[in-house]
Amino acid sequence: MKQEHTMAGTMAEMTGTAIRDAAGRGAKVILPIGVMECHGPHLPIGTDAFIALALSRATADYAAGRGQEVLIAPTYYWGINMALAEFPGSFRIRPETSAMLLEDVIDSLIANGFSDVLLISHHGELSHNEMIRDVLLKFHGKGQPRVRWLYTPIRWRMFARLGMDGTEPIWLPWEPTPALEDFRVTGVFGVHADEYETAAIVRYFPETVDYERLRGLPPTALTAADLPRWRKGGDDARALTPDGYFGDPNPIDPDLWRHFDETARIMAAAIS
């Protein structure tokens, strides 16, 4: 599954006229969103952006099978990082910078003729997701109701954390299926650089994984009660997760990556 480069399959490879023609045919466009932050000693700092891109590619492929043309914008990877901001490799982007850049990127897609802009974001930071929410609300306030949020991981309960339920007009709703839970998991509570993210990166971007470091990494012994402190970042995050991961980094189910593939299949049905 190795890709030649991380913009393979996106609009970055297309000519301007090809993009214009696709928009004229009614193609939809997906914008993958992530951040650059430490993901332990085993995964690349681009993990969130890579998973968003992999989800976008799979969703576009499944949508094509249903007769819906979907383009993928180059990945937006300058989201907001707080909890891991002071860990090695992390990039710190000011919230106002991230919001303005995201707004400009979406404006560019609209200017290129796309009436349906769909966001896929794989990053759990609350401030990051609040930023996306506020940008989308701004577009809806300007009369752009087809700029919508397609994905944030349901297992992170992002709807509730944002004070929403997923039925608001900024979302393109879809319902999870039992197939999303039909995998063996370790049972270790995890939210960052854990078995799910390792499974996805090993499948879609295997050349970026440090397998020697991964092989000996023990699971963390943290619970949901530790999350508020961990999310404060700084000394609190370093004390709880000194190695920059939260959960069990080693999947026990070799098919756990299919959680993301099944998610893409469901999302493709929702948009087409």
Side-chain angles (χ1 to χ4, degrees):
M1 297 295 291
K2 182 177 180 179
Q3 298 287 347
E4 293 181 0
H5 58 82
T6 56
M7 288 196 287
T10 75
M11 292 166 59
E13 296 183 312
M14 300 173 65
T15 66
T17 51
I19 291 170
R20 178 197 62 196
D21 293 346
R25 292 192 297 269
K28 302 176 190 293
V29 63
I30 291 175
L31 175 60
I33 299 175
V35 298
M36 292 290 142
E37 67 174 357
C38 177
H39 272 75
H42 59 300
L43 296 181
I45 66 168
T47 288
D48 291 346
F50 286 160
I51 293 177
L53 176 58
L55 273 166
S56 299
R57 288 171 174 162
T59 301
D61 286 346
Y62 282 125
R66 303 175 68 91
Q68 173 62 61
E69 184 177 9
V70 176
L71 271 58
I72 303 171
T75 305
Y76 174 96
Y77 44 79
W78 298 125
I80 301 168
N81 165 30
M82 302 288 286
L84 280 296
E86 297 179 22
F87 280 66
S90 295
F91 283 69
R92 307 179 193 182
I93 307 300
R94 287 173 288 178
E96 59 270 25
T97 301
S98 186
M100 287 189 292
L101 181 56
L102 180 59
E103 185 175 349
D104 285 349
V105 169
I106 295 173
D107 263 330
S108 298
L109 294 171
I110 294 170
N112 274 286
F114 293 99
S115 57
D116 276 281
V117 180
L118 306 171
L119 278 55
I120 287 182
S121 177
H122 186 83
H123 179 53
E125 189 81 53
L126 181 60
S127 56
H128 168 85
N129 287 278
E130 288 174 334
M131 178 274 292
I132 296 174
R133 176 199 64 194
D134 293 345
V135 167
L136 289 178
L137 288 171
K138 186 174 182 179
F139 275 100
H140 280 246
K142 294 190 297 185
Q144 295 286 352
R146 306 296 288 184
V147 179
R148 292 175 291 173
W149 203 339
L150 179 60
Y151 172 86
T152 184
I154 287 181
R155 69 188 185 92
W156 291 345
R157 299 179 176 85
M158 192 56 64
F159 296 145
R161 291 175 64 199
L162 289 172
M164 296 182 160
D165 62 15
T167 63
E168 294 82 5
I170 67 168
W171 301 96
L172 197 162
W174 52 271
E175 291 294 328
T177 67
L180 291 179
E181 306 297 329
D182 193 21
F183 304 99
R184 291 182 294 120
V185 293
T186 62
V188 175
F189 182 74
V191 296
H192 183 76
D194 64 353
E195 58 194 301
Y196 281 92
E197 294 193 326
T198 297
I201 297 299
V202 167
R203 173 66 179 184
Y204 297 114
F205 299 93
E207 70 280 8
T208 69
V209 179
D210 188 331
Y211 294 96
E212 290 187 11
R213 297 296 296 275
L214 172 62
R215 200 169 293 118
L217 286 183
T220 57
L222 303 171
T223 70
D226 295 302
L227 270 178
R229 181 186 173 196
W230 182 76
R231 287 170 174 158
K232 292 178 181 179
D235 291 340
D236 290 293
R238 282 193 295 268
L240 290 170
T241 57
D243 293 316
Y245 66 94
F246 191 138
D248 192 336
N250 284 281
I252 59 171
D253 190 338
D255 287 332
L256 185 57
W257 67 272
R258 293 186 182 277
H259 169 90
F260 297 94
D261 188 71
E262 180 63 21
T263 299
R265 189 192 307 272
I266 298 168
M267 293 192 300
I271 67 177
S272 57

